[in-house]
């Protein structure tokens, strides 16, 4: 194949991606594949574009073709996990995110999404374990604590949910969603005055 033309299409595709012109980027990477059908990078980018356009089956197909060439490509396994999640194929998503974490132990996106898959599969203890691992890896990151609080609320563990939300607000006191969630928590505990105050705070920082 013409390596020079392959590189031209790759560079053009990247340029269009950076400009947010996804249709033009898709055309360039498709042309790249015409010249080099085993270009794993092109399949990877096209999978990402397909996923952004909610073309999930096409994304899955490109991921699989990329992995045929580069079976240990962490980014492609992660994309495939996201695509399976979008399709509701949670067992497949679980396998992909676990594979990502075997290849790269510290991958917050894979760990957070693995926890979310466990929640969908009603594997609450496993979900809790993954959220807690995320917190251990970065104690100042609000999202894992927020998600863990949501899990505790789902399980009726209101005191634990409140403890995690309190930590979230230490790091991100301006986050309206956390205050709204706190209002929801107080409502569940029949603490109406606190619920009203938390809701007012959410409105003031929104």
């Amino acid at each position: 194949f013409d390596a020079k033309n392959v590189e031209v299409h790759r560079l053009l595709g990247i340029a269009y991606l950076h400009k947010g012109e996804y249709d033009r980027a898709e055309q360039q990477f498709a042309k790249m594949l015409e010249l080099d059908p085993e270009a794993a990078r092109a399949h990877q980018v096209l999978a990402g574009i397909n996923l952004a356009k909610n073309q999930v089956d096409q994304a899955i197909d490109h991921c699989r073709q990329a992995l045929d060439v580069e079976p240990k490509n962490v980014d492609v396994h992660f994309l495939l996990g996201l695509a399976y999640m979008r399709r509701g194929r949670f067992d497949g998503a679980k396998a992909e995110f676990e594979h990502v974490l075997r290849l790269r132990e510290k991958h917050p996106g894979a760990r957070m999404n693995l926890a979310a898959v466990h929640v969908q599969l009603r594997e609450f203890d496993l979900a809790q374990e993954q959220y807690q691992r995320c917190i251990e890896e970065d104690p100042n990151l609000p999202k894992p604590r927020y998600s863990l609080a949501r899990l505790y609320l789902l399980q009726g563990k209101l005191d634990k949910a409140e403890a995690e939300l309190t930590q979230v607000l230490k790091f991100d006191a301006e986050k309206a969603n956390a205050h709204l969630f706190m209002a929801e928590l107080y409502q569940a505990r029949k603490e109406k005055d606190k619920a009203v105050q938390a809701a007012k705070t959410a409105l003031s920082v929104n």
Side-chain angles (χ1 to χ4, degrees), residues 78-206:
F78 181 64
L79 275 175
L80 185 54
L82 294 178
Y84 282 148
M85 278 189 80
R86 192 82 61 87
R87 263 284 166 266
R89 295 170 59 178
F90 297 115
D91 285 328
K94 177 180 174 180
E96 291 303 321
F97 294 136
E98 287 176 340
H99 195 77
V100 169
L101 291 168
R102 283 195 295 273
L103 294 171
R104 186 187 300 167
E105 185 178 359
K106 289 191 176 182
H107 192 298
R111 199 170 293 285
M112 283 293 296
N113 279 285
L114 177 58
V117 167
H118 284 312
V119 172
Q120 291 293 331
L121 295 172
R122 313 290 291 180
E123 298 169 346
F124 296 142
D125 288 346
L126 294 175
Q128 179 180 327
E129 179 183 331
Q130 294 303 326
Y131 287 137
Q132 287 173 334
R133 284 287 300 275
C134 288
I135 293 167
E136 289 170 9
E137 290 173 5
D138 189 349
N140 295 327
L141 196 63
K143 188 174 180 180
R145 291 185 183 277
Y146 186 88
S147 299
L148 183 56
R150 177 63 65 183
L151 175 61
Y152 284 144
L153 183 61
L154 180 65
Q155 296 175 284
K157 299 177 180 179
L158 304 184
D159 290 342
K160 288 188 175 182
E162 183 179 11
E164 292 302 329
L165 281 178
T166 300
Q167 291 299 317
V168 169
L169 291 171
K170 285 181 182 178
F171 305 130
D172 195 2
E174 299 301 310
K175 190 170 184 180
N177 284 341
H179 290 290
L180 280 174
F181 190 1
M182 192 69 87
E184 183 182 345
L185 174 63
Y186 287 139
Q187 191 68 32
R189 291 168 59 170
K190 311 293 186 186
E191 297 177 8
K192 294 182 180 180
D193 290 341
K194 288 185 178 180
V196 169
Q197 184 57 50
K200 286 181 177 179
T201 303
L203 287 173
S204 69
V205 300
N206 193 1

Side-chain angles (χ1 to χ4, degrees), residues 5-71:
N5 281 339
V6 168
E7 182 64 7
V8 169
H9 289 304
R10 186 185 74 82
L11 291 173
L12 276 172
I14 290 171
Y16 284 133
L17 276 179
H18 289 164
K19 293 173 66 177
E21 297 182 20
Y22 297 115
D23 289 340
R24 287 186 172 183
E26 187 173 10
Q27 291 171 3
Q28 293 303 319
F29 285 105
K31 289 177 181 177
M32 185 177 164
L33 280 178
E34 289 175 10
L35 295 171
D36 181 10
E38 293 192 350
R41 172 62 176 165
H43 283 298
Q44 177 182 335
V45 173
L46 286 169
I49 292 172
N50 289 148
L51 204 56
K53 295 167 72 173
N54 206 33
Q55 297 168 339
V56 181
D57 291 335
Q58 293 95 317
I60 291 172
D61 184 57
H62 279 300
C63 284
R64 287 173 173 167
Q65 290 185 71
L67 290 172
D68 284 342
V69 182
E70 296 182 358

